[in-house]
Amino acid sequence: MSSAKRAILVFDVDGTLTAARQKVTQEMLEFLVETRKRVNLGVVGGSDLVKITEQLADDKDHLLSLFDYTFSENGLVGFKGVDEFPTQSIQKKIGDEKLQDLINFALGYMANIRLPVKRGQFVEFRNGMINLSPIGRSCSQSERMEFVEFDKKHGIRQKFVDELKNRFSDFGLEFAIGGQISIDVFPTGWNKTFCLQYFDAHYDEIHFFGDKTSPGGNDHEIFEDSRTIGHTVIGPEDTIQQVMEVLTNLGL
């Protein structure tokens, strides 16, 4: 980097680099490639590596070539270049008995929610978290958008989060609204701040860009963390604009 100040720009995926669950645009890809010539880049998404790859790249190798650091599942699966960090496991952290209590309750709760439509894949087990979706992750894009509007009006996910917090307050878990249709459940401290440990010794400034930065959103903790400079964006075009402003301020 040409600047004396060592900086890295770290991005959320949905609503930041891409429209929610949509493929990255060619404009954004070209912007990332050009920006990386001036400053180091990182990405941290809540989805698993397969889904993030589907959104941002042609394949895993292409994805890892776009960023200096790549993190999926809130940072629990991560890479520096092509070198993988140790993977964390929610199963090992809290045990199968607690996991089953959580999943059984969540399935029962979601079964009693009345929505415009319901589809499949209501629970997705990942390495570092459980993803819960009241409508089901196999919904179509139009059904997804219908749920977004229904959720805004009725607070479906927020009520679910409140109930989970009340029911499992002693399980050592966090519950965060993620993306457009789901809730992320993970051990306390295993939010997106988890990835910051890999940056601390190498950078003077860590700039984070995300859209779910309000309390309850899955970008909130890393946005508010004292180690980061947080930027709230409203979509990919806004991300590009704010990055350009940051680069100017950094003298890059």
Side-chain angles (χ1 to χ4, degrees):
M1 291 181 290
S2 59
S3 174
K5 183 173 287 186
R6 301 169 303 166
I8 184 169
L9 311 185
V10 183
F11 302 94
D12 166 52
V13 181
D14 279 344
T16 302
L17 294 180
T18 76
R21 287 302 301 145
Q22 299 298 297
K23 187 78 173 178
V24 68
T25 64
Q26 188 61 34
E27 177 190 13
M28 178 60 82
L29 280 177
E30 292 173 359
F31 182 75
L32 290 173
V33 169
E34 289 302 311
T35 301
R36 191 169 172 227
K37 295 176 181 177
R38 303 160 69 182
V39 65
N40 286 169
L41 302 182
V43 63
V44 53
S47 295
D48 60 30
L49 193 65
V50 171
K51 290 186 178 66
I52 292 176
T53 301
E54 288 174 350
Q55 287 181 257
L56 296 181
D58 297 327
D59 53 37
K60 177 182 173 182
D61 290 340
H62 181 209
L63 176 69
L64 299 183
S65 74
L66 291 172
F67 302 95
D68 298 279
Y69 293 85
T70 304
F71 296 97
S72 61
E73 301 187 35
N74 279 2
L76 279 302
V77 177
F79 297 81
K80 180 179 181 181
V82 298
D83 297 324
E84 187 171 5
F85 296 117
T87 299
Q88 307 300 317
S89 166
I90 186 174
Q91 181 180 358
K92 292 179 180 177
K93 182 68 174 179
I94 73 169
D96 277 309
E97 185 173 348
K98 287 183 177 179
L99 275 179
Q100 189 164 162
D101 287 346
L102 170 69
I103 292 170
N104 286 347
F105 174 80
L107 287 170
Y109 183 93
M110 289 187 287
N112 289 317
I113 299 175
R114 192 74 181 180
L115 300 174
V117 299
K118 282 187 178 180
R119 296 300 180 247
Q121 199 176 352
F122 302 101
V123 178
E124 184 173 89
F125 185 88
R126 302 173 183 170
N127 286 303
M129 70 171 74
I130 301 293
N131 183 265
L132 306 173
S133 176
I135 185 176
R137 296 190 65 88
S138 62
C139 62
S140 68
Q141 183 62 28
S142 62
E143 291 164 346
R144 171 186 287 264
M145 298 314 297
E146 185 178 16
F147 175 82
V148 168
E149 294 306 314
F150 192 84
D151 189 37
K152 286 179 182 177
K153 183 177 181 180
H154 298 283
I156 298 299
R157 289 186 295 169
Q158 188 57 59
K159 292 175 184 175
F160 195 3
V161 165
D162 292 342
E163 188 64 28
L164 288 166
K165 287 181 177 178
N166 180 61
R167 179 89 176 195
F168 300 102
S169 60
D170 60 344
F171 271 34
L173 294 170
E174 294 183 38
F175 308 91
I177 293 174
Q180 293 180 307
I181 61 170
S182 60
I183 294 166
D184 293 333
V185 183
F186 45 86
T188 301
W190 284 20
N191 50 56
K192 289 183 179 179
T193 62
F194 191 88
C195 71
L196 296 179
Q197 63 185 294
Y198 300 111
F199 303 143
D200 280 353
H202 305 292
Y203 299 99
D204 301 310
E205 291 186 3
I206 303 169
H207 291 263
F208 173 77
F209 301 82
D211 67 315
K212 295 290 191 300
T213 59
S214 299
N218 66 354
D219 295 327
H220 178 68
E221 287 81 8
I222 188 170
F223 174 82
E224 288 287 340
D225 195 280
S226 62
R227 292 167 289 181
T228 67
I229 299 171
H231 305 269
T232 302
V233 302
I234 58 174
E237 291 183 0
D238 188 39
T239 298
I240 290 175
Q241 183 61 42
Q242 292 201 41
V243 167
M244 292 173 65
E245 292 173 4
V246 169
L247 293 177
T248 299
N249 292 336
L250 288 170
L252 297 174

